[in-house]
Amino acid sequence: MPDESVRQWGADSLLPGYQQLTLPLPLAVPAQGEPEAAEVLVGTLVRRNKPTRRKALLYVHGWNDYFFQTHLADEVSQMGFDFYAVDLRRYGRSLREGQLPGFITDLDEYHQELDVALEVLRASHDSITVMGHSTGGLVAALWADARRGEIDALVLNSPWLDLQGSPLLRAVTAPVLQRLSSSYPTTVIPIPNNGFYARTIDAALGGEWEMVQELKGVNDFQVRVGWLAAILEGHDRVAEGLGIDVPVLVLTSARSDFRRTWDEALKKADAVLDVEKIAARSMKLGDHVTLVRIADGLHDLALSAAAVRKIYFDEVARWLAAYA
């Protein structure tokens, strides 16, 4: 394992008091239309402070997202863990000019940055828990399954384990996407976004949380053929059944709300994913899965109203105390 002194940690570019470390990805290749210099494809590891504890928690963000939830880091620290977060390639601190935000054609490619992040954490910690949100929950679950014996626990906050909508629609869509993805991976699929979820969280739209618009903007992250095909392939693997060998905690809102006109009730539900499908599919992750439903929770439970997120953090803390 590399010594801590070798790592070139520097001041975080977004959060005062935090540090960041660039994770080189020598095997990564640019997508169609991106700059040819492959070395600009990197991941970024962020930490709350220098390692002081035996246990660490690594957070993996969701789609059109990046790490900005400092209150999450504070809560995790109170639970007895050193906190780290990774901005995956083409997201947040890792996004470079000319790149396609959030684009990937194989979710297993993210194993590169997660493996490097694990190596960094192993140099200072002997117990590692991974937490993933939404698409990051799917990525983290697939990685944990592929890296059995490497981590100690897995926490999934509203993980994207299945596609919402009709199974018939998915059955028709998936084969078409797979055929198109080899020839037209970067083609944009014009899926409308009503912006309701952003309205529930973004301070600029009446929510509670301050964030960098360019790094979590609805219009900057576009659904592309290759990306959606990769997501559906990941869903298929979960449906077939994973064999994650550590305790898994899955948390979701108590209900979803997909109404087409704005209502204040959207501030008390998951307006992004179908929580019933998440709950059902979570039983396919491994042999030791705990499911918790949070009343009035948002899609990112950590961004819910203060009283709701306290329940969320209490549930996570109690579970980690028992299993991590």
Side-chain angles (χ1 to χ4, degrees):
M1 292 294 181
D3 186 83
E4 168 71 16
S5 62
V6 177
R7 299 294 181 182
Q8 298 300 311
W9 289 92
D12 184 49
S13 57
L14 298 178
L15 300 175
Y18 281 71
Q19 294 181 310
Q20 72 178 56
L21 173 70
T22 298
L23 306 177
L25 304 174
L27 300 179
V29 296
Q32 293 178 7
E34 287 189 327
E36 290 298 321
E39 64 268 15
V40 301
L41 279 164
V42 300
T44 307
L45 191 61
V46 182
R47 69 184 182 186
R48 184 175 183 269
N49 48 250
K50 292 183 179 180
T52 60
R53 295 166 172 173
R54 181 181 68 84
K55 298 188 294 183
L57 183 143
L58 175 65
Y59 175 75
V60 186
H61 61 79
W63 165 248
N64 78 317
D65 206 354
Y66 71 103
F67 171 65
F68 65 91
Q69 303 93 331
T70 57
H71 71 292
L72 169 62
D74 294 341
E75 292 286 345
V76 167
S77 180
Q78 290 294 319
M79 296 175 198
F81 294 77
D82 280 341
F83 179 87
Y84 298 79
V86 61
D87 279 4
L88 301 170
R89 70 188 73 181
R90 301 187 180 98
Y91 285 96
R93 299 159 180 83
S94 305
L95 182 62
R96 301 293 187 264
E97 184 176 357
Q99 292 180 350
L100 305 179
F103 182 72
I104 203 81
T105 56
D106 183 351
L107 296 182
D108 285 353
E109 291 184 17
Y110 290 133
H111 291 187
Q112 296 176 49
E113 42 262 71
L114 293 176
D115 286 346
V116 178
L118 179 66
E119 181 184 359
V120 174
L121 269 62
R122 281 285 180 219
S124 303
H125 307 278
D126 56 18
S127 176
I128 296 173
T129 293
V130 173
M131 173 184 284
H133 166 58
S134 196
T135 307
L138 175 61
V139 170
L142 295 173
W143 178 72
D145 182 55
R147 299 293 184 266
R148 299 177 191 180
E150 294 293 332
I151 64 173
D152 296 275
L154 180 65
V155 177
L156 303 178
N157 167 4
S158 303
W160 193 11
L161 303 180
D162 196 1
L163 191 70
Q164 55 269 47
S166 165
L168 177 60
L169 176 63
R170 189 198 187 289
V172 173
T173 302
V176 174
L177 285 175
Q178 290 296 341
R179 287 196 296 271
L180 291 175
S181 63
S182 59
S183 300
Y184 308 101
T186 62
T187 299
V188 174
I189 302 174
I191 297 177
N193 187 321
N194 58 28
F196 289 168
Y197 178 56
R199 190 169 170 179
T200 66
I201 61 174
D202 191 340
L205 301 173
E208 181 178 352
W209 306 99
E210 298 284 349
M211 57 196 73
V212 179
Q213 295 298 318
E214 294 78 14
L215 302 182
K216 197 170 169 56
V218 172
N219 297 324
D220 297 311
F221 285 75
Q222 296 178 307
V223 174
R224 299 176 186 272
V225 167
W227 176 83
L228 188 54
I231 295 293
L232 295 181
E233 193 272 338
H235 289 167
D236 286 344
R237 289 159 62 187
V238 176
E240 291 169 1
L242 303 183
I244 297 174
D245 61 347
V246 297
V248 182
L249 173 62
V250 177
L251 306 104
T252 74
S253 176
R255 67 182 186 90
S256 295
D257 193 330
F258 300 133
R259 69 184 70 207
R260 298 185 179 183
T261 58
W262 171 257
D263 190 283
E264 290 295 310
L266 290 162
K267 294 182 177 180
K268 296 183 177 182
D270 190 326
V272 179
L273 298 182
D274 187 331
V275 297
E276 300 302 331
K277 290 196 171 188
I278 295 174
R281 191 58 60 84
S282 66
M283 297 300 106
K284 295 281 192 176
L285 295 173
D287 293 333
H288 187 162
V289 179
T290 304
L291 175 65
V292 176
R293 308 288 287 269
I294 306 292
D296 297 337
L298 291 176
H299 174 56
D300 186 343
L301 294 162
L303 303 183
S304 301
V308 179
R309 65 179 179 262
K310 182 182 186 305
I311 295 172
Y312 165 66
F313 288 130
D314 286 347
E315 293 287 355
V316 172
R318 182 162 46 250
W319 187 88
L320 288 176
Y323 294 112

